[in-house]
Amino acid sequence: MNWFQFLGLTLPWLIVLGASLTVLFLGTLMKRGAHAVSMAISLLSLVAALFLSWQHWVADVTVSMGMMSFGRMTFLGWMVIAIASIFTVLLSHDYLARRKLGHPEYYSLILLSTVGMASLIAGSHLMLIFLGIEVMSIAVYALAGFLRHRLSGNEAALKYFLTGAFASAFLLLGIAFIFGTTKTMDLTVLAEQLPTVLSGDMASWFLFGVAMVLIGFAFKIAAVPFHAWAPDAYDGAPTPITQFMATAVKAAAFFALLRVASPLVVAVGPGWAKTLWLLSAATMIIGNLAALMQDNLKRMLAYSSIAHAGYALVAFPTLSTQTPELVHGVIFYLIAYTFMTAGSFAIVAFAQGQGESADVSHVAGLAKRHPWMAASFTIFLLSLTGFPPTLGFFGKYFLFSGAIKNGSIGLVVLALLSSAVSAYYYLRPIVVMYFHESREGVLERTSPATSLVAVVTIAFLAILYFGIFPSDLLAIVQRSGM
Amino acid sequence: MLNFIYQHFSIQTVAWLIVAFPLVGSIINWLIAAATSKKETEAFRGLTAFVGVGFPLLAFLAVGICYLTLIGFDGVDPKFVTGPLFQWAAGPGLTIDIGLNLDQLSLVMALVVTGVGTLIHLYSVGYMSHEPAYARYFAELNLFLFFMLILVLADNLLLMFVGWEGVGLCSYMLIGFWFEDIAKATAGSKAFIVNRIGDAAFLLGMFLIYGVMAAAQADPAHGYLNFATMASNSAAFAPVATIVALLLFVGACGKSAQIPLYVWLPDAMAGPTPVSALIHAATMVTAGVYMVVRLNFIYVLSPTAMEVVATVGAATAIFAATMGITATDIKKVLAYSTVSQLGYMFLACGVGAFSGAIFHLVTHAFFKALLFLGSGSVIHALHGEQDIRKMGGLKHKIPLTCWTFVIGSCALAGIIPTAGFFSKDAILWHAYSSGHIGLWLVGFVAAGMTAFYIFRLVGLVFFGQTTLSTDQWKKVHESPVSMLIPLLLLAGLSIGGGLFGVPEVMGGGDILGHWLSSIVPQVISHGGEEMHSQEIVLMVITSLWGLHFTVLGWVIYTQKRAWPIKMAEKLGAMYRLIANRYYIDEIYDALIVRPLVSFSRAFLWKGVDDVAIDGLVVYGTARSIGVFGRLASLLQTGVLQQYLLYFLIGAVIIVGYIAL
């Protein structure tokens, strides 16, 4: 093993890891200004990670080393989580400053969590994947309860942690069964051994393990019925962390699921298609229906994020190594979803001000007070609904057209019907922003923080640019292989 | 100069600049309009006018460069395609390129659009000088130019449709430019709605073309709707050519104001006069003709469709001409005249003389723009008066306007040797020589009427005794220089513009016909001495016929003004029928609009919409979905143990499916 090359390839995340530790030490050394400094260090390290991942992507290295395998898909995943985390860091500064909670460990935890995601995405060994998930999750458990003086914050952290621990047990048990039946945890070796294992007498124990692993992942992407923690955790967590959970955590879990699933799906046979069909259908239907009833913007976006995971799952029943268009559809959708969700949460964080939560009525009259914010939120919501010419439209288009090509017509019809239902709750804030008068007491013109405007602007431009020229983004995704 | 440009820019770049310039001008003026309040616009007037006229001029120069480049290709087929600027959408079976196509036809159109367009922009500087919304006006006019150039330069039908809809939008905005006046806003809406009918047919035609090309397995590299792809697979259209051609023709009827969809154009005169000149005379309304010529390879496959086009054209030509005789609003006369002249162009298309149609389109753009601008100058001089019965003798006060207007009228009437003579004669000759004697006769009679109504106008407005009061008479003033320059230039073009198409029998080269020869089929063979002599005989007859009515109209309406009033009394019912525009608006209202409205109100609204759609479908679905929504959110109890129960149920199902 070429350690020098290994260091080079993992450098983006070594930088982030270093930054995380630096921030933690700074917190003990500096009394004043620690907040700004730690935010700056975090931001710089993530931007460096994004840049280096991009460099790797351009260099197009494909190599397996130890428990990790690198390729363009890995680097693309790294870029997605780097971007999502950059958004989180940018949103956090203002959010924490308003609440006088600017503790450096907050940033340190975000960075640690991203390092976990990076190894989750690059992992080609079940043990590393499990470790990645745990490193990622434990940091997020702590972050979800960061508003520790608030009851809902504690509730969020505790519920997330307990159900998460439950899910981890399933995942670990599944890995144990797979290891027990195949004597390996390396995905490449596993793929080679599949035929022998499946024809042997241990086959059903092996499949039991696969089912358990799938359950573990279904929890991380908040698929119904493993979703119940999400609305409570999303609501109680600080808004930037909600955004982090909805974008970075979910994207990382999907990248890993794609990598784990593609060798296993063929083996599992028709049972896989049925299971994933059910998961996908239940997730989008329950997600969209429950979102209809929400007045709280964060809970609404939480259910919306559940529904979007259901859309992404549309590609999974017919997934195989011969269907690159499905993989690309999912990845493209994840990227689109990251931008529009991050943008929406930025607006929610802004509308929330100092308050504990953000109701739909908080954005009333936003069009008069902050026309650009209202216009951006409109674009984000239209994109979430899937209107052209936004990125969300093409995300759905590529995803569903790939699924139709592979015969999942019934599921796509369900997805389209439930996204028609979703139009109701996505359009409602637009109506409220443009046609309702501001509530008493929010008349004062608080101008949004620069960092928040940056997030909104980047997301806005990305959604419109790639919505009009989707082929640019599609080319990047398609050239990433599988 | 040209060499310098060749060294630094590819010709494709120059082609893109043609459409980019007006867009930039429009954006700048929109910004000015948006950023300044009403008082401040005064300060920006200079900039607005400079930008508003400068960018169209730059576009004209860019077209000129392209033109000079293309005629430099000696011997080879001069044509180039910019290729896709970008691919807007690509998928299996559907490729949409954004690309421009500069060939002989689109260049002729672009020259007219930018050339006449620039002059009319220049004219607007003076004409609109008292207008508070100065920047908005120029922004909309520049935007129109942008869309019109997209329309004529597009290399595929879909992009052309983008331009087609864009000019419709600008037309709507500019007709209703003074939208505080409800009548003017309504006129804008009327234009928009009538055009929707045509556009629906256009879309259907486009879908059909797409289906045909897909079935024929045409090369999808540039999309099925690319003109070159369509032309090279034109044989595939044979089975459905009639229906495709007719659907597209309905679209053309909407845009180019042909029977039965012409009703919006007279009302469109509610817009500012330069707008009428640019959009509703010279350029936009000719888009339908351009489209038919562009897709001539479909039309020639269907004799039936050609017959329909020719008949509708001829009928419109004579029908609108009769209304022109009785109209009393100076702009309405010109509007009916435009409808009538567009009828001639379709007549030409229908008898296969596509280059004749384009020739008349070009000369018509010159002289009709001139007439409209001249009428604008009259209206400007009279501070808004538009009724020709309240004018007269104006040649003493505004001589330049008067004489340029007379030149334009001669061209319209087809007096030798103005541009209109050659182009109208070409159409009539082609109608005759292709064996459509009946249609020729209709066109011939209409030509006489044309000469009569335009010189009636000239006689009433500029000559004879004035009917203005002394006070009004004193206030009449000649227009500013910025308005007169376009008049003079257009007058020159109205006289000389015919030289491009002097037929071979008169020793000309029919330059335009040869220039377009690689795009449109040369239907007419000029074979035989016998044909030549026929052509000359007809030419003499036509010109004498036109001249006769010119003199007649002029004499009657300058010297014997009482006579036509008596005539009108004698003809009674007939006169009232025509003067009331054959009650077409009323008939449409009674037959289509009102039944549609009452049917919509009583059945569709109260019955279908309120009860079925709203009651059952919308609220019904919403209520039932709402119930499910409440059920779904009931799952969210907040109790952790229940969450874990869901988890376990899910786990059992998954394990059951996968492992068992």
Side-chain angles (χ1 to χ4, degrees):
Chain A
M1 189 156 148
N2 184 347
W3 284 103
F4 192 69
Q5 192 190 6
F6 185 75
L7 279 180
L9 285 171
T10 50
L11 185 63
W13 304 99
L14 294 178
I15 293 175
V16 174
L17 187 63
S20 163
L21 298 176
T22 316
V23 167
L24 210 53
F25 280 121
L26 271 182
T28 60
L29 297 176
M30 287 175 74
K31 284 289 168 226
R32 292 160 59 85
H35 185 201
V37 173
S38 45
M39 185 249 184
I41 291 176
S42 315
L43 195 59
L44 280 177
S45 68
L46 285 170
V47 170
L50 175 62
F51 176 75
L52 288 173
S53 304
W54 171 246
Q55 291 294 309
H56 288 337
W57 191 91
V58 172
D60 192 10
V61 195
T62 310
V63 63
S64 281
M65 287 179 163
M67 292 185 175
M68 287 189 172
S69 72
F70 303 92
R72 276 193 160 176
M73 199 46 105
T74 319
F75 305 132
L76 183 65
W78 286 1
M79 284 190 273
V80 174
I81 58 167
I83 291 171
S85 315
I86 288 171
F87 284 153
T88 311
V89 170
L90 283 173
L91 286 183
S92 297
H93 184 263
D94 178 53
Y95 188 90
L96 295 181
R98 277 170 184 278
R99 287 163 180 73
K100 306 209 166 34
L101 276 172
H103 304 305
E105 61 267 29
Y106 174 93
Y107 293 99
S108 176
L109 284 170
I110 290 180
L111 297 182
L112 278 175
S113 182
T114 31
V115 173
M117 290 171 197
S119 43
L120 170 60
I121 290 172
S124 63
H125 191 277
L126 288 173
M127 212 59 241
L128 185 67
I129 289 176
F130 179 75
L131 277 178
I133 285 190
E134 288 307 299
V135 171
M136 164 180 93
S137 304
I138 290 170
V140 180
Y141 298 149
L143 286 168
F146 204 73
L147 300 175
R148 54 177 178 264
H149 55 280
R150 275 178 48 187
L151 202 57
S152 63
N154 291 322
E155 183 194 341
L158 200 61
K159 278 184 177 164
Y160 189 22
F161 170 66
L162 285 175
T163 45
F166 201 60
S168 292
F170 275 80
L171 184 61
L172 201 52
L173 191 65
I175 293 175
F177 268 94
I178 290 176
F179 181 68
T181 47
T182 59
K183 307 281 177 289
T184 179
M185 285 196 270
D186 189 297
L187 289 177
T188 336
V189 185
L190 196 60
E192 287 162 7
Q193 291 192 357
L194 270 181
T196 16
V197 176
L198 285 170
S199 54
D201 49 0
M202 302 291 268
S204 51
W205 293 116
F206 169 74
L207 290 176
F208 181 72
V210 172
M212 291 297 194
V213 170
L214 179 62
I215 292 164
F217 274 105
F219 173 82
K220 282 296 155 204
I221 59 173
V224 174
F226 312 101
H227 70 292
W229 58 275
D232 295 346
Y234 281 24
D235 187 24
T239 308
I241 295 306
T242 314
Q243 179 262 327
F244 190 64
M245 289 196 278
T247 57
V249 173
K250 199 164 272 198
F254 262 110
F255 269 97
L257 181 58
L258 281 173
R259 167 164 285 178
V260 175
S262 44
L264 295 181
V265 181
V266 197
V268 177
W272 169 273
K274 272 189 209 159
T275 315
L276 267 294
W277 199 99
L278 269 184
L279 263 188
S280 168
T283 307
M284 54 203 181
I285 292 172
I286 298 282
N288 277 320
L289 285 180
L292 283 179
M293 294 294 123
Q294 306 305 322
D295 276 331
N296 181 328
L297 278 179
K298 276 167 85 176
R299 287 186 89 88
M300 187 270 268
L301 285 173
Y303 282 112
S304 134
S305 127
I306 291 171
H308 282 278
Y311 300 145
L313 282 174
V314 166
F316 280 76
T318 50
L319 197 70
S320 78
T321 41
Q322 269 76 50
T323 54
E325 70 274 7
L326 286 176
V327 176
H328 297 149
V330 175
I331 303 291
F332 189 96
Y333 198 76
L334 283 176
I335 296 171
Y337 169 79
T338 301
F339 281 113
M340 56 211 191
T341 306
S344 303
F345 274 111
I347 305 282
V348 171
F350 171 64
Q352 196 175 3
Q354 249 112 319
E356 294 222 335
S357 68
D359 279 352
V360 177
S361 58
H362 275 82
V363 295
L366 194 67
K368 282 210 188 95
R369 285 178 283 144
H370 298 283
W372 284 108
M373 297 298 257
S376 312
F377 197 25
T378 307
I379 292 293
F380 300 150
L381 290 168
L382 289 180
S383 179
L384 283 166
T385 326
F387 275 100
T390 59
L391 189 51
F393 168 74
F394 280 102
K396 280 204 174 80
Y397 175 76
F398 292 131
L399 188 63
F400 294 162
S401 66
I404 287 178
K405 205 191 279 174
N406 287 288
S408 307
I409 294 170
L411 200 56
V412 171
V413 170
L414 263 184
L416 292 178
L417 283 179
S418 65
S419 52
V421 170
S422 76
Y424 174 76
Y425 63 83
Y426 286 132
L427 297 184
R428 195 155 70 109
I430 301 180
V431 174
V432 172
M433 279 192 299
Y434 282 89
F435 298 110
H436 288 202
E437 290 300 319
S438 302
R439 292 196 318 181
E440 297 286 319
V442 287
L443 284 169
E444 84 277 16
R445 289 177 67 98
T446 47
S447 54
T450 321
S451 52
L452 197 142
V453 174
V455 175
V456 173
T457 314
I458 295 169
F460 180 83
L461 292 179
I463 285 170
L464 279 188
Y465 179 80
F466 291 126
I468 296 168
F469 308 98
S471 45
D472 295 5
L473 186 57
L474 189 66
I476 294 180
V477 173
Q478 279 171 343
R479 280 182 206 155
S480 300
M482 272 184 78
Chain B
M1 174 64 190
L2 212 52
N3 275 329
F4 172 82
I5 289 168
Y6 289 150
Q7 274 163 15
H8 293 85
F9 300 98
S10 72
I11 195 71
Q12 276 83 0
T13 315
V14 179
W16 281 111
L17 286 177
I18 298 174
V19 289
F21 281 133
L23 183 64
V24 172
S26 175
I27 291 172
I28 295 176
N29 271 329
W30 276 122
L31 290 177
I32 293 176
T36 54
S37 68
K38 273 191 181 159
K39 281 176 199 160
E40 291 164 327
T41 43
E42 293 298 328
F44 283 97
R45 261 168 204 264
L47 179 64
T48 298
F50 181 73
V51 168
V53 180
F55 280 96
L57 183 64
L58 285 172
F60 176 66
L61 294 177
V63 178
I65 290 167
C66 291
Y67 176 76
L68 290 178
T69 312
L70 280 201
I71 53 173
F73 283 95
D74 216 16
V76 290
D77 184 17
K79 162 180 175 146
F80 66 86
V81 177
T82 60
L85 174 65
F86 61 85
Q87 211 166 43
W88 186 71
L94 179 68
T95 312
I96 304 170
D97 282 349
I98 308 291
L100 300 185
N101 167 34
L102 275 87
D103 57 12
Q104 293 89 335
L105 177 58
S106 59
L107 257 182
V108 169
M109 291 297 290
L111 273 174
V112 172
V113 169
T114 54
V116 176
T118 307
L119 290 179
I120 294 175
H121 277 78
L122 177 62
Y123 178 91
S124 302
V125 171
Y127 189 83
M128 298 299 281
S129 55
H130 309 302
E131 178 56 46
Y134 203 56
R136 177 165 65 89
Y137 173 80
F138 276 103
E140 289 174 0
L141 213 56
N142 280 349
L143 188 67
F144 165 77
L145 216 52
F146 164 72
F147 278 122
M148 191 66 207
L149 287 166
I150 290 279
L151 195 165
V152 299
L153 294 176
D155 75 344
N156 63 71
L157 200 54
L158 203 68
L159 186 60
M160 182 180 173
F161 190 67
V162 171
W164 183 275
E165 289 298 310
V167 291
L169 171 73
C170 295
S171 159
Y172 161 76
M173 292 196 292
L174 285 161
I175 294 171
F177 181 73
W178 291 299
F179 52 80
E180 288 95 346
D181 180 345
I182 196 73
K184 290 178 173 164
T186 315
S189 302
K190 184 173 176 185
F192 204 72
I193 291 165
V194 173
N195 267 297
R196 291 279 73 65
I197 301 170
D199 293 348
F202 191 137
L203 272 176
L204 288 179
M206 205 149 65
F207 296 156
L208 211 54
I209 290 176
Y210 181 85
V212 169
M213 299 311 284
Q217 294 180 328
D219 173 25
H222 297 292
Y224 290 145
L225 295 175
N226 187 286
F227 291 130
T229 313
M230 283 159 66
S232 57
N233 291 281
S234 60
F237 287 107
V240 290
T242 306
I243 180 82
V244 170
L246 287 180
L247 282 171
L248 294 173
F249 180 60
V250 174
C253 279
K255 191 106 307 187
S256 293
Q258 295 296 293
I259 292 173
L261 298 178
Y262 71 91
V263 287
W264 64 271
L265 188 59
D267 288 13
M269 298 301 128
T273 307
V275 170
S276 308
L278 179 59
I279 301 184
H280 305 116
T283 55
M284 183 190 83
V285 288
T286 62
V289 180
Y290 169 73
M291 191 258 287
V292 171
V293 175
R294 170 61 75 194
L295 298 177
N296 64 73
F297 50 85
I298 298 180
Y299 280 84
V300 293
L301 292 174
S302 165
T304 325
M306 293 286 274
E307 214 54 49
V308 171
V309 172
T311 313
V312 169
T316 310
I318 194 161
F319 185 71
T322 57
M323 291 190 280
I325 295 178
T326 58
T328 54
D329 180 317
I330 184 167
K331 285 179 71 183
K332 288 267 165 91
V333 175
L334 295 176
Y336 285 116
S337 160
T338 305
V339 174
S340 167
Q341 297 301 308
L342 288 165
Y344 275 106
M345 295 174 209
F346 281 108
L347 172 61
C349 291
V351 299
F354 295 105
S355 67
I358 293 297
F359 183 30
H360 195 53
L361 188 160
V362 173
T363 58
H364 174 257
F366 295 152
F367 64 72
K368 192 50 69 63
L370 170 61
L371 289 174
F372 264 112
L373 296 185
S375 77
S377 184
V378 170
I379 296 167
H380 194 73
L382 295 175
H383 305 282
E385 182 57 61
Q386 297 198 9
D387 192 331
I388 50 176
R389 291 167 302 186
K390 297 179 185 162
M391 300 176 186
L394 289 175
K395 74 168 176 196
H396 304 292
K397 280 288 201 175
I398 45 173
L400 213 58
T401 304
C402 167
W403 293 115
T404 51
F405 198 94
V406 169
I407 290 172
S409 305
C410 287
L412 174 61
I415 307 292
I416 240 171
T418 55
F421 166 75
F422 293 107
S423 58
K424 192 181 287 179
D425 181 67
I427 292 174
L428 290 175
W429 163 242
H430 285 308
Y432 183 83
S433 65
S434 62
H436 298 82
I437 308 292
L439 293 176
W440 169 80
L441 195 63
V442 172
F444 181 71
V445 173
M449 291 183 178
T450 308
F452 183 77
Y453 68 67
I454 194 63
F455 276 91
R456 163 180 175 258
L457 183 74
V458 170
L460 279 175
V461 174
F462 295 106
F463 295 91
Q465 289 295 316
T466 184
T467 51
L468 293 169
S469 66
T470 342
D471 268 5
Q472 284 173 311
W473 182 254
K474 274 183 192 150
K475 279 193 226 155
V476 175
H477 60 88
E478 184 64 286
S479 302
V481 182
S482 69
M483 289 166 70
L484 293 176
I485 291 173
L487 288 181
L488 288 171
L489 286 172
L490 284 169
L493 286 169
S494 298
I495 298 174
L499 297 177
F500 300 118
V502 177
E504 278 158 5
V505 286
M506 287 184 71
D510 192 9
I511 302 169
L512 193 71
H514 288 294
W515 170 248
L516 293 175
S517 59
S518 65
I519 296 178
V520 297
Q522 292 297 88
V523 185
I524 310 302
S525 61
H526 292 272
E529 284 298 310
E530 193 189 346
M531 293 293 270
H532 276 301
S533 54
Q534 269 190 23
E535 190 174 353
I536 290 172
V537 169
L538 271 181
M539 199 179 279
V540 172
I541 295 178
T542 318
S543 58
L544 286 179
W545 174 253
L547 197 62
H548 160 237
F549 276 102
T550 301
V551 175
L552 199 65
W554 188 77
V555 168
I556 290 175
Y557 284 95
T558 46
Q559 290 156 17
K560 308 224 181 276
R561 283 186 186 164
W563 192 72
I565 298 171
K566 275 187 219 147
M567 276 298 284
E569 276 165 15
K570 272 191 190 151
L571 287 172
M574 178 76 180
Y575 178 81
R576 277 196 300 278
L577 179 68
I578 300 177
N580 286 300
R581 291 150 290 149
Y582 297 93
Y583 298 101
I584 290 289
D585 275 326
E586 287 77 7
I587 292 171
Y588 279 4
D589 193 50
L591 282 184
I592 301 172
V593 178
R594 259 186 254 161
L596 199 64
V597 167
S598 52
F599 176 74
S600 306
R601 191 189 307 268
F603 180 68
L604 290 178
W605 177 16
K606 300 267 155 100
V608 177
D609 193 51
D610 266 7
V611 178
I613 296 181
D614 273 3
L616 281 171
V617 184
V618 178
Y619 294 126
T621 335
R623 266 191 289 269
S624 48
I625 298 263
V627 170
F628 287 123
R630 263 187 292 280
L631 285 179
S633 50
L634 278 183
L635 292 174
Q636 202 68 24
T637 52
V639 180
L640 195 61
Q641 286 83 342
Q642 291 186 5
Y643 293 179
L644 295 179
L645 183 66
Y646 308 149
F647 195 118
L648 274 181
I649 294 171
V652 168
I653 293 172
I654 289 186
V655 169
Y657 266 131
I658 288 188
L660 300 181

